[in-house]
Amino acid sequence: MSIVKEIQEALTILSIPEKAAFFPRFFKTGKGEYGEGDLFLGVKVPDQRSVAKEYYHQISLQELSILLSSEYHEHRLTALFMLISKFEKTKEKAVKEEVIRFYLAHLPYVNNWDLVDSSCYKILGRYAFENHKENLLRELSESEEMWYKRIAVVGTMHYIKKGSFDLTKEFVTRNMKHPHDLMHKANGWLLREMGNKNESELISYLNIYYKEMPRTCLRYAIEKLDEGLRQDYLKGRI
């Protein structure tokens, strides 16, 4: 049995019928919704992580490509968990660069918010930060594809963790008026994370832009602020 089939069977064994019925609604797979057509086995994320931990060191990138291009959501997410492990566990620059090329080549399959949020800052964001290759993220931020824009802004999570905020602010500002709520949530989330690291940076940014932010973005961004200050922003008193 090939390792891909072995992993697929391991995930099938872990599938839960109730989850398989629930996930399509949760991830908006109906016609015209952002996850249209996605298929689910019904495997919980911790179980996917366990499978990834068992197999990541055995599977090649060529085999991983089969799993990551699967129509089943859990196959793709498990593949991304394994890719993260390959990236994080190696000290060889050539291997890291091979993983980056693979990730970029397979971006069309990183096509739901959990796939994006679980992988982009741990792989692409970290690589861009450590190698001063911000344009890898900037090009995605300028793309017309929503998932690429989300990859770009969530990818700056690694920058925020390192105390660097300019790229986050650049991407949030560029896509602040994006029509989709998923971008408003991502932008607000990253601003909130920036505030967790340095509240004055968040407040300085909000004081310039909060009145033009979509409401969802603003609510996410100010979630951890003092309640009085939150209300001042919500009611436009600043």
Side-chain angles (χ1 to χ4, degrees):
M1 183 187 299
S2 73
I3 190 168
V4 173
K5 291 291 186 185
E6 196 172 329
I7 293 167
Q8 290 172 337
E9 289 204 3
L11 290 170
T12 298
I13 290 169
L14 292 166
S15 65
I16 301 169
E18 293 80 8
K19 295 290 185 183
F22 169 72
F23 286 155
R25 297 193 301 273
F26 182 72
F27 287 101
K28 308 296 184 186
T29 64
K31 187 170 180 59
E33 295 181 310
Y34 62 76
E36 181 177 351
D38 210 352
L39 300 179
F40 289 84
L41 296 168
V43 185
K44 294 186 292 186
V45 169
D47 289 337
Q48 293 178 65
R49 290 188 185 277
S50 295
V51 172
K53 184 177 180 180
E54 180 179 352
Y55 287 100
Y56 82 88
H57 59 287
Q58 305 173 40
I59 194 168
S60 69
L61 289 181
Q62 185 176 5
E63 292 164 328
L64 206 56
S65 179
I66 299 170
L67 206 59
L68 187 49
S69 58
S70 170
E71 60 187 352
Y72 283 99
H73 193 99
E74 290 93 341
H75 291 171
R76 303 200 303 282
L77 185 55
T78 303
L80 288 169
F81 287 150
M82 289 190 280
L83 193 66
I84 292 166
S85 293
K86 284 182 176 293
F87 184 80
E88 292 180 339
K89 301 295 185 183
T90 186
K91 295 182 179 179
E92 296 181 34
K93 185 177 180 180
V95 175
K96 286 185 179 294
E97 290 181 344
E98 187 179 17
V99 169
I100 292 299
R101 288 193 297 271
F102 179 92
Y103 187 74
L104 290 171
H106 290 78
L107 285 186
Y109 304 106
V110 187
N111 58 353
N112 213 314
W113 59 264
D114 62 322
L115 304 175
V116 169
D117 298 354
S118 298
S119 65
C120 65
Y121 74 92
K122 293 183 176 181
I123 299 176
L124 196 57
R126 178 178 172 181
Y127 177 82
F129 179 85
E130 292 178 348
N131 294 277
H132 308 289
K133 293 193 174 183
E134 285 72 26
N135 278 344
L136 285 175
L137 296 174
R138 189 169 283 116
E139 288 174 7
L140 295 174
S141 180
E142 295 170 351
S143 167
E144 294 301 314
E145 169 58 52
M146 181 186 70
W147 296 123
Y148 293 3
K149 289 180 181 294
R150 186 167 173 124
I151 287 168
V153 72
V154 177
T156 68
M157 179 75 79
H158 190 84
Y159 285 74
I160 291 172
K161 290 176 181 294
K162 298 297 182 179
S164 178
F165 311 119
D166 287 348
L167 207 60
T168 302
K169 291 187 283 188
E170 175 188 333
F171 294 170
V172 170
T173 305
R174 173 179 294 124
N175 291 306
M176 187 179 293
K177 299 299 181 67
H178 191 278
H180 207 293
D181 190 59
L182 283 174
M183 283 304 301
H184 304 167
K185 291 177 179 178
N187 288 338
W189 169 32
L190 270 294
L191 289 175
R192 184 182 70 216
E193 292 299 319
M194 183 176 75
N196 288 343
K197 191 76 173 177
N198 188 323
E199 188 172 290
S200 65
E201 285 279 349
L202 173 60
I203 289 172
S204 294
Y205 185 84
L206 288 173
N207 288 349
I208 298 171
Y209 291 107
Y210 85 97
K211 287 187 177 180
E212 60 185 274
M213 280 182 184
R215 202 68 169 174
T216 298
C217 177
L218 178 61
R219 287 187 178 278
Y220 271 60
I222 65 176
E223 184 178 7
K224 298 295 181 65
L225 296 180
D226 172 81
E227 181 60 23
L229 187 55
R230 282 187 68 254
Q231 291 302 320
D232 285 342
Y233 281 120
L234 288 171
K235 295 176 181 176
R237 295 192 295 232
I238 292 175

